[in-house]
């Protein structure tokens, strides 16, 4: 058996090639739906019926047409989604890093108990909280406002957990050195720990941004005016009113997936690291 | 005194940093949590308790729960939720498989590059040429060139490229991809059925030739299912005798194994099933009772030993049995299916009552292959000590043995974590798919508990009732998770 | 770190300001009427018209611009109900379920001012009354309405040499012509693309047929569902036969596979109809908004849904309902007066935006339409005539919760998916609705008391019926039974019956 390891180059090459073919086939299956999506979005409506995936003439104007449809404020929804997700991400990363700093670098009585409370709520289904949260939003008059979307999502137990796991691994000696230099706790956080925790922050940023960009339940119950819709519920409205216009629908789908693909390609290294760190996508 | 002061100061500093997050946490997590418990026991209803009418909120005790169990469709919704979770083990297995493939040794050293590119070009050319001989359509060209380019990029970029491509579906999964799949599933002209159509028309004669034996085949399939049951029960009892399986595991295994025969009585129309299945079950359980109560074990073991074996091995057997039952049902209906003028009918996917759930499972599978689970497995695989493999090689282990005795136990922790998360996600899942793709239909076949909560709470305004359902869902999750922790942990440590 | 932080914060704040400034629903000092409807060029014209009406009647700000704003809400959203009771509606909202909202306390009782200012119930269709009022009090006024019937694309029938459907027909006649149509229209295509009617898997198609046999889903007082009848099962079987055996209506799978241009008003069904894929379509005259835009001129005629002896059609109303939290009641009043005005009704008549809320003041204009639009012929007079004679609203017990699922429709799909037999499906409708009523009574003591009282009335009705005596009209609250018994001569009319 041990001889198996010392294969000739030729046999090894065959093996590698076979492996590549297998992996390519799986990868092909993964991207086929996306391929169909792009190709269909470039078709004429009549061509959608055809068996062939390829459009006869590429209808690039389908894309601007999506923005021009009456009653479909696609551009606005795009903006809203990114706007809300950006605020949420910013706030969440900030508050999570503060809390994580407190949980990982400071010693205080009852710390672990509070942290355990945080952890245990992570297991609760979001639905349990949604209903009273909605009731509270009514009381606060935040229904159908951006604030109502942003604020409840700005605090996350998961984000705190992720950041804490990372900060725990930063050597304690740094704190001591800083203390000897006379740095305050805030300086320690702001000037030493936070820059070092950048990888975790980037990961959390990606998770939170994508999670919010994609979230559907909360905006669905919260937002009433079409000009305040985010993309997921906007797409839902698009589908329910113009669902049979397959080519334009696919153009809209492609455009709404695009930011995610860009972020993914740019950030994939940090993302992969982050998943190993925190275990799950938020 | 001084240390006390110091402690107080520490708490203050700690709290100061925590405060922004803690306030939000209290306001948007803890407070709703408490409110939710309260609401579940009241008749809180937006119809009576809103901006315009403030009738007193009445405490109704367990009435919401009673109503829930009285709802004739509740069982079905619960069943739908569990049915959709059948996809989880397949998804996890697929991500393990792809992680293993990705972790295999295929260094893209420079020498390989050139060769790989050459292979890619040759392969692409070959595919195109062969297909051209059979009548080159744009479609085959497209497929071949797509494959060629994936292969090409893959051989240059190696692991990262494949990992990226595998991960796409999971990363983008959301309303947009659900809409995409809805279109893919279009029964008459969607790409999936367009691709299946030639296959189905080719299969029509085969199916027709099978017609005379349809009953026989179906009976054989059900027979296989019954045989599987007998074998598994026998195995279980043997293990129990050998001290390889505790009492809890035995009971659990029996329950899991008995589900398919019980349900087959409901699902299968053939009259003999209603006789055969009870007999089968009686035999199984008598065999079980005889062992447990009538026999003395040679080797004893603790009560909850090998729980994992029951859940995983017997679970797999259960899924296989369900598959057999389904297949038997299909064969039984063959005459009807073939009788159609256009030959074997294509599946109607999400427009069909029976296909809707499998359709959603397939879609979930597509997104699950290259998910976070794959990345976690990749990390786990890189952590398996090489000397274990070397030791296995010295022992002359086969590939399969290597996997089963080295890789799998080493990954048990990862698997455990993944399963816990997947089950938690599965129980509360299904809302978005149902809302986007089917609106819970056709005829309620994709209405899961979470979708039910949404319609009750947010479309009808029965907040109290919806809270009660949400808490029931939590209870369910809690039980499953606790079970996992208690026994799964032991399994992983074995 | 500090720089990045401040930069990000600055960008976000700038973005917030931009978002606030560009939002359509900026806070205005004028009342906002959000109008739930399809995106449709004519709606925008009506908005302009309302603004002009305000100016004409002196409801203006200092600068002469109208002191009121109509905003179109085009997206369908299941959460409308909870948003409305959460204080999130416009000053007037446009809705189909006035009674539900009124029961929740969301509405305003406008009975007195309505009679004073000329938009009382008696100015509009009798068939709509039960949908505009609750307990004899008026809460809303119609924006428009519809009597959904079969609009026939006459050209398509001529093309295949088929006779144009008659105004009234039985299900048998309907089926016979339908079979001929789909056979001719789909000759030689791989899959069936043309259908006689759009999907019939709906309660609004089933209801008139059921009622034509003298049955309804609820009893006379609407305290109990009595859907479990052989008649309803027969209706279900008819619909199934048309969909799966005769293939004159598309299945769910057919619909899921259609591609159509749906940019315009009314969505894909209208496109398919105009292109001849559907020979007929169930709609009100508002469909003409889209039909007139279509590049090819089509000749229309109008037929009732196929049915048996007792001819009836459904009437739906889109009502404008003053919202309980309005800050400017006089403007709301103004809007309702606008709806009853000659200008508005003339507009509705001319531009075919459904039924005019106040048909009496536009009778003359109505008669002119057949000369103005010869291709549409007498369709207008027919529909408005039906609205005043045979149209009956859907019966909806006040004991049902708002947002109760459409169990009739659900049962049809249970049956269509082979989950239940037709009779079981009918039984299920009754069972489900009764369960809903029980739940509602259990939840609210006031509802329960009312329900029990009505149950006594029902017992007396049953007694009278068994004895063959005539029933006093004020005992009956189900709009169907009032009409049906009146036709069958089973009613005692009293003078106080007007309120119903």
């Amino acid at each position: 058996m041990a001889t198996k390891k010392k294969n000739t180059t030729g046999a090894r090459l065959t093996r590698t090639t076979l492996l590549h073919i297998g992996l390519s086939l799986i990868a092909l299956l993964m991207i086929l739906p996306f391929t169909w999506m792009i190709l269909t979005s470039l078709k004429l409506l009549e061509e959608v019926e055809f068996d062939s995936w390829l459009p006869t003439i590429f209808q690039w104007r389908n894309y601007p047409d999506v923005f021009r449809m009456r009653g479909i404020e696609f551009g606005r929804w795009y903006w809203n989604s990114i706007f809300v997700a950006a605020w949420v991400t910013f706030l969440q990363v900030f508050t999570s890093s503060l809390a994580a700093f407190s949980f990982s670098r400071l010693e205080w009585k009852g710390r672990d108990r509070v942290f355990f409370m945080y952890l245990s709520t992570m297991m609760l289904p979001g639905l349990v909280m949604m209903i009273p949260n909605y009731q509270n939003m009514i009381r606060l008059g935040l229904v159908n406002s951006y604030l109502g979307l942003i604020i409840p999502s700005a605090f996350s137990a998961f984000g705190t957990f992720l950041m804490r796991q990372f900060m725990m691994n930063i050597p304690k000696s740094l704190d001591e050195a800083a203390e000897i230099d006379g740095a305050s706790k805030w300086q320690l956080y702001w000037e030493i720990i936070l820059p070092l925790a950048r990888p975790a922050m980037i990961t959390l940023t990606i998770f939170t941004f994508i999670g919010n960009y994609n979230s559907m339940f909360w905006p669905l119950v919260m937002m009433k005016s079409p000009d305040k819709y985010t993309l997921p519920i906007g797409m839902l409205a698009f589908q329910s009113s113009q669902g049979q216009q397959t080519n334009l629908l696919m153009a809209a789908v492609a455009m709404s997936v695009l930011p995610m693909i860009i972020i993914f390609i740019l950030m994939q290294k940090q993302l992969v690291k982050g998943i190993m760190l925190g275990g799950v996508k938020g | 005194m001084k240390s006390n002061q110091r402690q107080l100061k520490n708490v203050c500093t700690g709290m100061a940093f925590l405060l922004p997050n803690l306030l939000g946490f209290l306001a948007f997590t803890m407070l709703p949590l408490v409110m939710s418990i309260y609401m579940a026991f009241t008749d809180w209803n937006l119809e009576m308790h809103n901006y315009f009418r403030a009738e007193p909120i009445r405490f109704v005790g367990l009435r919401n729960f009673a109503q829930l169990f009285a709802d004739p469709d509740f069982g079905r919704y619960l069943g739908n939720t569990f049915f959709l979770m059948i996809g989880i083990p397949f998804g996890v297995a697929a991500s393990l498989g792809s992680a293993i493939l990705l972790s295999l040794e295929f260094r893209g050293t420079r020498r390989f590059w050139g060769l790989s590119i050459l292979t890619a070009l040759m392969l692409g050319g070959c595919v195109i040429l062969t297909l051209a001989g059979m009548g080159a359509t744009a479609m085959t060209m497209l497929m071949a060139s797509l494959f060629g380019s994936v292969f090409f990029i893959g051989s240059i970029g190696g692991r990262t490229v494949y990992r990226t491509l595998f991960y796409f579906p999971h990363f983008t999964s959301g309303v947009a991809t659900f809409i995409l799949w809805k279109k893919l599933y279009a029964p008459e002209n969607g790409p999936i059925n367009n691709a299946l159509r030639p296959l189905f028309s080719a299969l029509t004669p085969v199916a027709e030739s099978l017609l005379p034996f349809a009953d026989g085949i179906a009976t054989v399939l059900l027979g296989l299912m019954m045989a599987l049951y007998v074998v598994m029960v026998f195995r279980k009892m043997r293990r129990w005798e050998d001290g390889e399986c505790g009492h809890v595991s035995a009971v659990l295994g029996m329950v899991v194994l008995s589900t398919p025969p019980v349900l087959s009585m409901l699902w299968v129309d053939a009259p003999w099933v209603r006789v055969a299945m009870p007999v089968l079950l009686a035999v199984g359980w008598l065999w079980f009772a005889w062992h447990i109560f009538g026999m003395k074990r040679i080797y004893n073991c603790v009560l909850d030993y090998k729980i994992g074996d029951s859940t995983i091995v017997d679970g797999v057997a259960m899924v296989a049995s369900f598959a057999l039952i389904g297949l038997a049902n299909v064969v039984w209906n063959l005459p009807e299916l073939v009788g159609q003028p256009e030959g074997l009918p294509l599946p109607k996917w999400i427009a069909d009552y029976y296909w809707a759930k499998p359709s959603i499972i397939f879609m979930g599978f597509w997104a699950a292959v290259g998910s976070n689970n794959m990345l976690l497995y990749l990390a786990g695989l890189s952590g398996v000590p090489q000397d274990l493999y070397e030791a296995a090689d010295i022992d002359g282990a086969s590939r399969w043995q290597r996997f089963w005795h080295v890789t799998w136990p080493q990954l048990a922790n990862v698997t455990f974590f993944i399963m816990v998360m997947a089950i938690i996600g599965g129980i509360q899942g299904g809302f978005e798919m149902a809302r986007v793709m089917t609106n819970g239909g056709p005829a309620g076949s994709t209405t899961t508990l979470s979708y039910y909560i949404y319609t009750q709470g947010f479309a009808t305004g029965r907040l109290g009732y919806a809270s009660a359902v949400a808490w029931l869902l939590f209870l369910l999750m809690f039980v499953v998770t606790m079970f996992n922790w208690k026994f799964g942990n032991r399994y992983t440590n074995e | 770190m500090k720089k990045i932080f401040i930069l990000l914060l600055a960008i976000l704040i700038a973005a917030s300001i931009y978002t606030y400034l560009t939002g359509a629903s900026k806070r205005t000092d004028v009342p906002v009427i959000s109008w739930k409807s399809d995106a449709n060029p004519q709606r925008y014209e009506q908005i302009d018209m309302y603004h002009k009406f305000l100016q004409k009647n002196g409801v203006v700000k200092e600068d002469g611009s109208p002191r009121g704003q109509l905003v179109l809400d085009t997206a369908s959203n299941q959460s409308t109900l909870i948003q409305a009771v959460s204080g999130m509606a416009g000053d007037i909202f446009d809705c189909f379920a006035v009674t539900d909202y009124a029961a929740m306390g969301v509405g305003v009782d406008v009975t007195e001012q309505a009679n004073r200012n000329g938009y009382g119930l008696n100015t509009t269709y009798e068939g709509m009354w039960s949908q505009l009022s609750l307990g004899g009090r008026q809460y809303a006024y119609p924006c428009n309405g519809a009597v959904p019937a079969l609009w026939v694309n006459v050209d398509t029938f001529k093309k295949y040499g088929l006779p144009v459907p008659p105004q009234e027909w039985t299900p048998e006649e309907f089926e016979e012509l339908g079979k001929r149509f789909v056979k001719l229209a789909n000759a030689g295509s791989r899959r069936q693309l043309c259908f006689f009617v759009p999907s019939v898997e709906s309660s609004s198609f089933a209801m008139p047929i059921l009622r034509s046999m003298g049955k309804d889903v609820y009893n006379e007082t609407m305290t109990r569902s009595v859907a479990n009848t052989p008649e309803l099962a027969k209706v279900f079987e008819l619909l199934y036969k048309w969909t799966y055996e005769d293939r004159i209506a598309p299945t769910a799978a057919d619909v899921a596979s259609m591609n159509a241009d749906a940019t315009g008003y009314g969505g894909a069904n209208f496109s398919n109809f105009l292109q001849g894929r559907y020979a007929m379509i169930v709609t009100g005259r508002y469909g003409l908004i889209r039909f007139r835009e279509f590049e090819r001129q089509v000749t229309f005629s109008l037929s009732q849904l196929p049915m048996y002896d007792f001819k009836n059609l459904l009437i739906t109303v889109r009502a404008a309902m003053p919202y309980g939290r309005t800050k400017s009641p006089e403007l709301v009043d103004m809007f309702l007066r606008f709806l009853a005005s000659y200008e508005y009704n003339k507009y509705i008549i001319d531009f075919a935006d459904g039924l005019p809320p106040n048909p009496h003041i536009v009778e003359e204009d109505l008669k002119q339409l057949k000369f103005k639009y010869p291709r549409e012929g007498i369709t207008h007079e027919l529909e408005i005539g039906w609205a005043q004679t045979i149209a009956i609203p859907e019966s909806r017990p006040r004991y049902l919760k708002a947002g109760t699922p459409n169990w009739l429709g659900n049962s049809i799909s249970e049956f269509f998916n082979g989950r239940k037999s037709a009779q079981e499906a009918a039984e299920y409708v009754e069972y489900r609705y009764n369960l809903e009523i029980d739940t509602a009574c259990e939840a609210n003591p006031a509802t329960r008391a009312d329900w029990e009282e009505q149950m006594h009335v029902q017992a007396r009705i049953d007694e009278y019926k068994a004895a063959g005596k005539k029933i006093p009209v004020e005992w009956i609250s189900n709009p169907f039974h009032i009409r049906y018994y009146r036709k069958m001569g089973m009613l005692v009319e009293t003078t106080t019956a007007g309120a119903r």
Side-chain angles (χ1 to χ4, degrees), chain C residues 346-416:
Chain C
K346 173 85 166 60
Y347 183 92
I348 296 282
I349 283 288
D350 285 345
F351 293 97
D353 189 10
L355 299 172
N358 190 353
H360 310 294
I361 58 172
V362 285
E363 262 165 20
E364 284 310 307
D365 298 281
L366 184 61
K367 286 183 188 137
Q368 299 304 314
L369 276 179
K370 55 177 171 284
F371 305 116
K372 203 168 159 196
Y373 299 102
R375 285 174 181 278
E376 290 156 19
I378 56 164
T379 50
H380 306 278
E381 281 158 83
L382 272 181
E383 183 173 341
I384 293 172
W386 288 341
Q388 286 163 320
T389 51
I390 61 170
I392 308 171
E394 211 163 317
S395 33
R396 187 177 163 82
R398 55 179 182 272
Y399 315 107
L400 280 193
K401 282 173 178 300
T404 300
N406 179 354
W407 290 114
L408 182 56
N410 288 5
S411 299
I412 298 176
S413 37
E414 293 262 328
F415 170 53
F416 273 34

Side-chain angles (χ1 to χ4, degrees), chain C residues 180-427:
Chain C
R180 281 167 66 194
F181 176 83
V182 288
K183 201 169 161 208
L184 287 169
N186 293 299
S189 70
R190 176 173 63 78
R191 75 180 173 99
Q192 189 177 341
L193 287 170
C194 298
F195 297 92
F196 198 43
V197 278
S199 174
V200 295
E201 194 182 334
S202 74
S203 54
S204 52
F205 210 95
M207 196 56 117
I209 311 182
L210 175 68
R211 283 175 166 180
S212 73
M213 291 185 277
K215 297 286 171 189
D216 190 56
V217 172
Y218 298 101
N219 63 11
E220 289 85 348
T221 49
M222 296 202 274
T223 43
R224 227 61 202 136
S225 171
V226 287
N228 187 10
T229 54
E231 282 86 354
L232 186 56
K234 186 179 169 189
V235 173
F236 287 168
E237 263 157 9
L238 266 182
L239 299 182
Y240 184 85
K241 182 165 184 290
W242 292 341
T243 307
Y244 290 93
E245 289 168 25
D246 304 334
R247 304 282 285 131
I248 60 183
T251 62
D254 292 321
V255 174
S257 312
M258 284 176 181
N259 289 294
D261 171 20
T263 21
Y265 171 64
N269 270 0
F270 283 9
S271 287
N272 284 325
F273 170 62
L274 290 167
Q275 272 147 6
R277 288 209 203 159
Y278 292 140
M280 305 185 291
I281 189 176
V282 183
T283 178
R285 64 191 286 272
Y286 58 83
L288 283 169
I289 297 173
R290 178 77 195 285
F291 301 163
R292 285 176 184 169
E293 279 172 7
F294 195 59
E295 64 265 32
R296 209 172 56 234
Q297 288 295 309
V298 179
T299 314
F300 299 99
S301 77
L302 193 59
S303 299
Q304 292 176 1
L305 297 183
M307 66 184 92
Y308 296 104
D309 302 333
F310 178 69
K311 301 297 174 193
N312 72 94
L313 287 168
L314 285 177
I315 187 168
T316 57
V317 50
R318 184 166 61 227
M321 179 172 181
Y323 189 52
R325 289 184 76 215
T326 177
K327 283 173 215 88
S328 43
E330 79 283 11
L331 275 158
V332 168
D333 178 52
M334 207 64 217
F335 185 75
L336 297 182
R337 275 162 68 182
F338 168 65
L339 292 180
S341 71
Y342 176 72
E343 288 104 315
Y344 180 78
N345 284 276
K346 173 85 166 60
Y347 183 92
I348 296 282
I349 283 288
D350 285 345
F351 293 97
D353 189 10
L355 299 172
N358 190 353
H360 310 294
I361 58 172
V362 285
E363 262 165 20
E364 284 310 307
D365 298 281
L366 184 61
K367 286 183 188 137
Q368 299 304 314
L369 276 179
K370 55 177 171 284
F371 305 116
K372 203 168 159 196
Y373 299 102
R375 285 174 181 278
E376 290 156 19
I378 56 164
T379 50
H380 306 278
E381 281 158 83
L382 272 181
E383 183 173 341
I384 293 172
W386 288 341
Q388 286 163 320
T389 51
I390 61 170
I392 308 171
E394 211 163 317
S395 33
R396 187 177 163 82
R398 55 179 182 272
Y399 315 107
L400 280 193
K401 282 173 178 300
T404 300
N406 179 354
W407 290 114
L408 182 56
N410 288 5
S411 299
I412 298 176
S413 37
E414 293 262 328
F415 170 53
F416 273 34
N417 281 292
R419 302 255 319 143
K420 289 190 166 59
S421 73
Q423 194 59 56
E424 279 164 1
E427 196 183 323

Side-chain angles (χ1 to χ4, degrees), chain A residues 251-266:
Chain A
V253 168
M255 281 189 282
S256 68
V257 170
L258 190 71
M260 290 190 271
I261 292 183
I262 292 174
I263 291 177
F264 179 59
I265 290 176
L266 291 180

Side-chain angles (χ1 to χ4, degrees), chain A residues 68-210:
Chain A
R68 277 190 226 117
M69 286 170 100
R70 210 192 260 275
I72 303 294
E73 300 169 63
F74 197 78
R76 180 80 193 173
W77 298 340
Y78 225 132
W79 168 259
N80 283 343
S81 271
I82 292 172
F83 170 72
V84 170
W87 259 118
V88 169
T89 309
F90 178 78
L91 290 174
Q92 192 176 323
V93 171
F94 184 60
T95 58
S96 296
S97 66
L98 276 174
F101 177 76
S102 176
F103 280 136
S104 63
R105 316 298 296 189
L106 301 176
E107 302 281 341
W108 47 279
K109 213 180 151 191
R111 181 186 84 167
D112 292 336
R113 233 170 286 152
V114 178
F115 183 66
F116 181 74
M117 192 174 76
Y118 264 68
L119 265 190
S120 53
T121 57
M122 272 170 66
M123 289 283 162
L124 284 171
L127 276 168
V128 170
M129 266 89 82
M130 292 276 185
I131 299 163
N133 251 342
Y134 183 76
Q135 185 67 30
N136 289 341
M137 288 295 134
I138 297 176
R139 292 243 177 88
L140 296 172
L142 289 181
V143 179
N144 198 27
S145 70
Y146 293 107
L147 270 183
L149 278 196
I150 294 170
I151 293 184
S153 319
F155 313 95
S156 132
F158 168 73
T160 312
F161 169 72
L162 189 103
M163 297 286 287
R164 175 187 176 267
Q165 294 305 90
F166 190 87
M167 286 186 185
M168 288 294 258
N169 292 332
I170 299 172
K172 279 270 174 199
S173 53
L174 281 173
D175 298 21
E176 286 149 23
E179 214 158 310
I180 291 165
D181 288 349
S184 69
K185 290 289 179 201
W186 173 257
Q187 279 167 327
L188 177 67
Y189 161 75
W190 189 245
E191 275 157 26
I192 295 169
I193 302 297
L194 210 50
L196 283 174
R198 186 173 292 177
M201 277 166 72
I202 293 175
T203 309
L204 184 59
T205 303
I206 304 170
F207 281 157
T208 316
F209 190 87
I210 297 296

Side-chain angles (χ1 to χ4, degrees), chain B residues 45 53 58 73 188-189 353, chain C residues 103 257 401 419 428 432 443:
Chain B
N45 185 337
R53 277 173 66 179
R58 285 184 304 156
D73 280 331
E188 296 289 345
N189 55 6
Y353 183 85
Chain C
S257 312
K401 282 173 178 300
R419 302 255 319 143
Y428 188 65
R432 268 298 173 162

